[in-house]
Amino acid sequence: MADVRYYDIRCVRGETTLVDIDNGVIESAGTSFFDKAVIRVLGPKGWGVLTRDHVDMDSKRELDALVEAAARLAAVTQDDINLADAPRGALPVPPLGEDPRDVDLEEKTRLLAGIEAAARVPEVANTRARYTEGIDAVRFQDSSGNEYSYEAVRSGFSVLAIASRNGVMQMGSERDHIITGFNLRDKQELGRKAGEVAVSLLDAKLAKGGARRAVLDPELAGVFTHEAVGHASEGDLVREGASVLAGRIGERIGCEGLVVVDDPTLHEFGFIPVDAEGVAVRRTEIIRGGILSSYLHNRETLAAVGNGIPGHARAEHGAPPIVRMSNTFIENGDATYDEILAECKDGILLIGSRGGQVDPGRGVFQFNAEYGYLVEGGETTDMVRDVSLSGEILSTLHNITLLGNDRKMSPGYCGKGGQSVPVSDGAPHLLLESATIGGRGE
Amino acid sequence: MNGEDLIDNILREGERQADEVEVFYARGESVSTEIKKGILGTAEESEAWGMAVRTVKDGRIGFSSTGDPDRWKECLNAALASGRIATPQQWGGFPKPAGITGTASSSDQNLVVAVEGAAEMVGDLLSGAAEHPVEVIGGSADLARTYLAVANTSGVLYGMDRTVAAVSLEAIREQSTGYEFDASPFRADIDARSVGEQAASLAARSLSGRDIETGRYDIVLSPVAAASILGQVLLPALSGRNVKAGRSFLADKIGEQVFDESLSIYDDPFAPGLGSTAWDAEGVPTRRLVFVEQGVLQRFAYDLKTGYRYGEGSTGSAVRFGSEGPGIGVHNLFVDGPRTKEPGDERAVWIHDVVGAHTANPFSGDFSVEISNPFWMEGGELADPIRTAMFAGNVFEMLREIEEFGKDSRRVGRLTIPSIRLNNQQIIGR
C-alpha cells in the first residue's frame, strides 16, 4: 500500500440512556447501544474516510481491508494535506463521584420526576424533563504506532417549563451536564427555577431593538465567547479562508486585559483526555491582552496555517475528526457585578442562553438570551423577553468595557459540519458598549 | 443472520415476553465528497446498520436500539426493561397489514452510490462557482441509498428504498459570503452547476452593502429564509403531542381563521420528496393531510402513541431520525397559496437566509435573527446589497397578513415553500 502515507482508526462503542418525562408521564426510559468506527487514510494528496458500524479492531485482516478501501477513496482527492508533528499522550480521566451505572433506571426516573415536578409551580401549564447519560468506550490506533483507549461518562438533564395565561405562552429552561459522575441528585431547585422564570416572563415586556449598552451574565457571555471568537479561531475555517480572523495573529482585536481561552484539560463538560487524532491536549490562549495569539488546530491545519496549538481535533462517534472547541471562556477581570451595573447606567441586562450561530467568513454572529432586565440609573427594572444580540467579530471585542470577576462555566452541545459534541463555555459578567439588540418591541 | 431472519427472530423471541413487538430496521450506504479551498478535499464512504425495537405490554411501551446485530438480545431485553418503567397508557395495538395503495416517489433506480458520481457533481459545483470572481471555501456532494423496513407481530412487514443526491457550496469574496444547496431523491433533479453559480453570485453581489436604518419595511423572504423561520415554529405547533401537552399556540383553534386566507399548509407523502413514503415509521399507511386550508386550521398530526392516548387516531405522521424512537413529524410539507403577482414587484428588502433561526421561541412564535445576503429589491430584481441587519417578529402574527407568494416554490429539506412578501416588518440596523 504505497499510496498510504498515514492511517488511523477510531472506534467508539457505548450506551446511551434516555429518560423523557412529559407532564408527569414517563414517555420513555431506556438504554440503546452503538458501535461506530471511522477509518481515515491519507493518500498521496488528501483523506479517504470510511465509517462503519461494528468493526473488529483486533482483526488485522478486517483492518487491512478497510485501510485499502479508504486508500481507494483518498486517491480521488486533490487537496495537498500534510500532518504536523504534535506531542502525544493522554491525561487521566477524572474519577467518577457516583458511577451512573450503579444507579438503576427506576431510581434515575424517580429523581428526574422530582425535578420535573418541582417545575410545576402555579400558572405552569406544561413541564418536561429529559435525562441523558452516555457511556463511551473509545479506542484509537494509528499507523505510527500510537494507541490509546479511555472511557467517557456523561450524565445530566434538562428541564423545561411552559407557563400560560390568556393564550400567552412563555418558557423557562435549565440544564446541567457533568463528566464526573451521576448528576440527578438534589437538583429540584433547577426545576423550580425553570418554572419561576416561565411564570415571570408572562409579565415581561418585549425588548426594543437598537444599539444599546448591554450587560451579559456569565452564561450568555460564554455563548458570546463561543460564537464571537471561538468558531472564527478554528484552524480549518482559517485554512479554508472562511474566517475573518485569518492573517490577524498579533493584531489587536479586543480590549486591553481580554484573555480568551480554549482548554480541553479542564474537568468541565468539554473535557477530552486526548484529542481524536491521538494528540495531547493543552490550554490554548486564543486572545491574550486583547491581541489574537493562537488558532485552535489539528495536525493538518497546524501544518497548513501555523500560529497555534494542536490537540483540538474532536469527533462525534461515527464521524471524522474536525477542529472543535472544548471548554471556552473569557478570563476574569476585576470588576464586581455592582460596578458593572453602575457603569452600564442605562441599558439592558441579558441572562441565560437559547443558543447562537455565527457566519465566521462574514464575521457576523447572533445569539439569543432567555430573558433580561432593563437597566435604568444603574438599577435593574422591568423584565424583558425574546431578546437577541448580534454583532461583528472584528469590532465587538473592542466594545467590552468592563470584565467582571465572577466567571462561571455552563455545559452545552455545539454543532458544526453536522456533528454535535459536548462543550462548555463561560465568562464573568461583561459590559458591552453599543451592542445591537434585536427585539420587536416599539 | 441477514435482515429479515433477524427481524423474525426478534419478533418471535419478544412475543414470549410482551403483548406486541415492533422492529424498525435501516441499512444504507453513502458517499460524500467535500470541497476544501476550491478543490476536492476529502472523500468519505459510509455503511450504516441500525435496528430499533419497541415492545408493548399492558399499555407500557418499551424502546431500545442497536448498531450491532450481535447485540440484538441485549437490545430486546433493554426494550422490555424500559417498558417496565414507562407510564401505562391507552393502546389499541400496532397496525395490521393494510392494502397500501399510494405509491411513494422516494427512490431513484438510476442513482449509483459511487465516489466517481459524487466527484463529478463537485466538478459541476466548481465550474458553476467559477462564473463569478469569488473564492470557494467549502461545499460537498453526497449520494446515498438506504433500505428501510418496519415489521410487527400483527403481521406488518413493509420495506422501501430511499435515495438522496445532495450538493452544497459556500463562497466568499472579501467579507461577503454566499451559501447554496439542494437535495432530492432523484439525481437528475440536481443541477450542481447552477447551485455553485448561485452561491458564488450571492457572495459576489453582496459585497459593499450599505447600512440600513432601523425601522419598518416591506420584506420578501426567500424560500430558504421562510423555511428556516417557519420550520422552527410552525412544525412543532402542528404536532398533536405539543397540542395536547399545552405547548402549541394553535391548540384549541381548529376551525378558526388562524392565518391569512391565502395560506394553505399540507403534508403530501406521495409527492416526490425526501420524505415520500406510503407508510409511516410505525407501519401506518400515510395519507395527504391538510393542516391549514385558506388560513383555517383543520387538524393536527398524530402518531400511534399520542393518537391512542387522546382518542384521536394516528394520522400516519410518525417519523424517525437516526436510531431514535418514532415521533410526530411531516413527510413532505407544502406551504402554498395562490400566486397573483410577483412578491418583489414593488420595492422591498429581500432576505436570502437568516442566522440563528433555531433561537426562535417555538411556543410564543417570537424571533429576532441576523439576516444573510439582504438586498433592496426593485421591480422583481435584486438591486443594491444591504450590509447587515436584524429582523424581528412573530411567526404567528406574520402569517396573518401575507402580501404575496412567489412562483418560485422550492424544496428546502422536508418543506416546499415559495418566497413570501410581508409588509411593515421590523428591521434593526446597526
Side-chain angles (χ1 to χ4, degrees):
Chain A
M1 287 182 284
D3 285 346
V4 176
R5 285 191 286 157
Y6 167 88
Y7 72 79
D8 61 25
I9 175 167
R10 188 169 185 271
C11 295
V12 187
R13 181 180 156 97
E15 304 176 7
T16 307
T17 298
L18 296 173
V19 182
D20 177 10
I21 304 180
D22 192 349
N23 259 353
V25 173
I26 300 156
E27 290 281 349
S28 64
T31 301
S32 292
F33 311 91
F34 62 88
D35 185 4
K36 298 271 188 190
V38 176
I39 301 94
R40 300 192 304 167
V41 164
L42 193 58
K45 295 274 193 177
W47 290 109
V49 181
L50 287 183
T51 68
R52 292 285 186 273
D53 280 293
H54 190 50
V55 165
D56 180 3
M57 249 176 105
D58 299 318
S59 156
K60 190 168 175 339
R61 235 182 70 203
E62 190 170 351
L63 195 57
D64 286 347
L66 291 169
V67 168
E68 205 177 307
R72 281 198 296 274
L73 289 170
V76 307
T77 64
Q78 301 160 334
D79 200 4
D80 274 310
I81 298 290
N82 289 299
L83 299 181
D85 284 331
R88 301 298 184 141
L91 297 172
V93 170
L96 299 177
E98 180 179 16
D99 191 327
R101 283 166 289 197
D102 296 339
V103 183
D104 65 29
L105 198 53
E106 283 81 357
E107 187 170 8
K108 287 169 184 162
T109 306
R110 190 171 52 73
L111 289 165
L112 185 71
I115 298 169
E116 195 247 3
R120 228 169 288 141
V121 301
E123 290 196 288
V124 163
N126 178 265
T127 50
R128 190 167 181 183
R130 209 175 149 86
Y131 172 71
T132 315
E133 173 188 307
I135 314 280
D136 294 359
V138 182
R139 284 184 69 190
F140 172 92
Q141 68 182 60
D142 69 17
S143 52
S144 317
N146 296 294
E147 273 191 60
Y148 68 81
S149 60
Y150 67 90
E151 188 177 73
V153 175
R154 295 188 179 86
S155 168
F157 66 94
S158 61
V159 54
L160 171 75
I162 294 166
S164 174
R165 187 196 299 151
N166 305 329
V168 175
M169 264 186 285
Q170 288 300 327
M171 65 169 161
S173 71
E174 294 293 329
R175 60 182 179 278
D176 193 26
H177 296 275
I178 60 171
I179 57 154
T180 47
F182 183 57
N183 189 34
L184 275 179
R185 297 192 193 280
D186 306 316
K187 298 286 179 185
Q188 286 95 327
E189 192 47 49
L190 284 179
R192 192 150 38 241
K193 190 175 164 207
E196 286 167 1
V197 166
V199 171
S200 36
L201 278 170
L202 289 173
D203 295 312
K205 294 178 175 173
L206 284 165
K208 186 168 175 289
R212 200 121 45 111
R213 220 172 274 146
V215 178
L216 311 189
D217 88 324
E219 184 181 345
L220 192 64
V223 175
F224 167 78
T225 313
H226 181 103
E227 301 296 348
V229 185
H231 279 297
S233 71
E234 290 165 348
D236 52 345
L237 301 181
V238 173
R239 170 178 180 261
E240 287 149 25
S243 167
V244 288
L245 295 184
R248 294 186 194 270
I249 290 286
E251 227 174 85
R252 170 166 299 280
I253 61 164
C255 63
E256 293 224 12
L258 179 69
V259 179
V260 178
V261 179
D262 186 81
D263 190 350
T265 71
L266 292 184
H267 291 174
E268 297 287 347
F269 199 50
F271 169 80
I272 46 172
V274 52
D275 92 345
E277 298 183 311
V279 173
V281 289
R282 65 187 230 245
R283 175 184 156 103
T284 303
E285 289 188 352
I286 302 168
I287 295 176
R288 189 192 183 103
I291 311 277
L292 184 66
S293 55
S294 279
Y295 299 123
L296 307 180
H297 280 311
N298 60 14
R299 293 182 63 195
E300 70 177 81
T301 66
L302 177 63
V305 176
N307 289 317
I309 292 177
H312 294 282
R314 301 185 65 186
E316 186 177 308
H317 24 88
I322 50 178
V323 180
R324 302 300 294 260
M325 285 174 266
S326 55
N327 304 303
T328 317
F329 57 89
I330 295 180
E331 284 283 19
N332 275 336
D334 49 21
T336 64
Y337 174 61
D338 290 340
E339 285 165 358
I340 289 175
L341 272 191
E343 183 73 21
C344 174
K345 215 164 137 196
D346 294 307
I348 191 165
L349 165 66
L350 301 175
I351 297 172
S353 164
R354 283 211 309 245
Q357 200 182 341
V358 62
D359 179 344
R362 189 153 65 101
V364 171
F365 60 88
Q366 179 270 8
F367 57 87
N368 202 292
E370 287 180 294
Y371 57 99
Y373 293 93
L374 299 180
V375 179
E376 291 166 320
E379 308 269 332
T380 56
T381 58
D382 294 337
M383 192 179 199
V384 291
R385 62 181 172 86
D386 291 301
V387 45
S388 61
L389 200 157
S390 79
E392 290 174 284
I393 293 170
L394 293 177
S395 60
T396 303
L397 298 173
H398 292 289
N399 293 345
I400 300 175
T401 49
L402 273 184
L403 289 164
N405 59 5
D406 51 0
R407 174 168 73 87
K408 223 185 102 197
M409 301 298 287
S410 301
Y413 285 86
C414 165
K416 176 182 172 187
Q419 298 188 39
S420 172
V421 296
V423 296
S424 76
D425 37 52
H429 275 92
L430 298 183
L431 179 61
L432 271 185
E433 201 60 47
S434 67
T436 305
I437 303 295
R440 61 186 201 96
E442 300 295 328
Chain B
M1 227 176 328
N2 79 20
E4 292 194 359
D5 288 350
L6 184 58
I7 290 173
D8 206 50
N9 267 1
I10 295 167
L11 294 180
R12 274 188 289 119
E13 181 65 30
E15 213 171 14
R16 291 169 30 189
Q17 301 176 70
D19 304 335
E20 289 183 278
V21 185
E22 172 199 71
V23 177
F24 187 86
Y25 168 83
R27 64 165 190 264
E29 47 170 354
S30 63
V31 293
S32 172
T33 45
E34 272 184 56
I35 301 171
K36 308 271 183 192
K37 294 181 75 180
I39 50 179
L40 202 162
T42 302
E44 190 175 334
E45 185 219 284
S46 292
E47 280 176 26
W49 188 99
M51 195 181 66
V53 177
R54 280 200 297 173
T55 56
V56 184
K57 189 170 190 197
D58 303 324
R60 294 173 186 268
I61 305 166
F63 175 80
S64 178
S65 69
T66 179
D68 176 356
D70 296 342
R71 288 178 97 172
W72 70 268
K73 275 195 178 154
E74 217 176 325
C75 175
L76 176 62
N77 287 334
L80 292 161
S82 130
R84 286 190 283 274
I85 292 171
T87 307
Q89 69 154 65
Q90 279 296 321
W91 181 258
F94 285 125
K96 294 180 174 54
I100 302 262
T101 50
T103 48
S105 323
S106 62
S107 163
D108 180 347
Q109 297 303 320
N110 299 319
L111 186 144
V112 181
V113 181
V115 71
E116 293 77 14
E120 189 187 315
M121 293 198 289
V122 163
D124 291 345
L125 282 166
L126 293 173
S127 78
E131 291 190 19
H132 300 277
V134 297
E135 282 175 54
V136 174
I137 49 184
S140 68
D142 307 331
L143 293 165
R145 182 180 294 278
T146 310
Y147 174 77
L148 302 171
V150 62
N152 65 38
T153 45
S154 297
V156 158
L157 173 58
Y158 303 139
M160 73 182 289
D161 265 325
R162 193 163 258 179
T163 53
V164 181
V167 292
S168 67
L169 187 123
E170 189 178 8
I172 192 165
R173 180 158 182 211
E174 294 172 34
Q175 269 185 46
S176 163
T177 53
Y179 176 76
E180 263 298 353
F181 60 94
D182 198 9
S184 168
F186 308 101
R187 171 67 185 85
D189 279 1
I190 301 295
D191 184 347
R193 191 185 157 83
S194 161
V195 169
E197 193 274 328
Q198 289 294 321
S201 167
L202 281 168
R205 295 191 61 188
S206 299
L207 195 66
S208 317
R210 305 265 285 273
D211 285 325
I212 186 168
E213 299 255 317
T214 298
R216 295 218 155 247
Y217 295 88
D218 298 344
I219 67 163
V220 177
L221 295 177
S222 85
V224 175
S228 296
I229 296 173
L230 266 55
Q232 172 70 16
V233 172
L234 196 57
L235 295 188
L238 293 172
S239 152
R241 178 167 171 185
N242 288 335
V243 168
K244 299 294 182 184
R247 280 195 294 260
S248 169
F249 176 84
L250 299 175
D252 306 321
K253 293 192 172 77
I254 284 193
E256 284 180 31
Q257 183 85 43
V258 288
F259 298 135
D260 190 281
E261 59 184 25
S262 67
L263 179 68
S264 292
I265 301 170
Y266 55 91
D267 189 7
D268 186 353
F270 310 116
L274 296 170
S276 295
T277 181
W279 38 269
D280 77 355
E282 300 177 304
V284 174
T286 56
R287 57 186 200 258
R288 192 174 187 273
L289 294 175
V290 178
F291 294 114
V292 174
E293 186 157 34
Q294 297 181 340
V296 178
L297 182 65
Q298 307 288 328
R299 61 156 65 248
F300 299 114
Y302 292 94
D303 59 3
L304 283 174
K305 184 174 169 175
T306 314
Y308 283 138
R309 184 182 295 165
Y310 298 105
E312 296 278 358
S314 166
T315 54
S317 298
V319 295
R320 301 193 196 226
F321 295 101
S323 55
E324 288 174 29
I328 300 172
V330 296
H331 305 294
N332 294 313
L333 194 80
F334 289 77
V335 173
D336 211 354
R339 316 296 206 271
T340 49
K341 55 179 189 176
E342 276 305 296
D345 283 352
E346 283 167 48
R347 186 174 158 89
V349 174
W350 182 83
I351 297 170
H352 172 63
D353 201 356
V354 300
V355 178
H358 68 289
T359 66
N361 184 331
F363 312 111
S364 71
D366 286 315
F367 64 88
S368 50
V369 292
E370 177 69 25
I371 58 183
S372 295
N373 305 107
F375 283 84
W376 282 107
M377 188 170 233
E378 312 261 9
E381 299 289 325
L382 300 188
D384 297 327
I386 294 166
R387 195 168 75 91
T388 176
M390 294 185 88
F391 166 39
N394 179 289
V395 170
F396 299 113
E397 282 177 24
M398 168 173 120
L399 294 179
R400 279 209 280 269
E401 218 165 322
I402 291 170
E403 278 300 306
E404 305 288 345
F405 294 106
K407 293 195 184 76
D408 54 353
S409 267
R410 165 171 174 181
R411 196 151 59 204
V412 184
R414 288 185 172 213
L415 254 70
T416 302
I417 188 166
S419 292
I420 301 177
R421 183 187 179 101
L422 303 159
N423 285 352
N424 199 28
Q425 299 293 311
Q426 181 76 18
I427 297 284
I428 299 134
R430 272 196 221 296

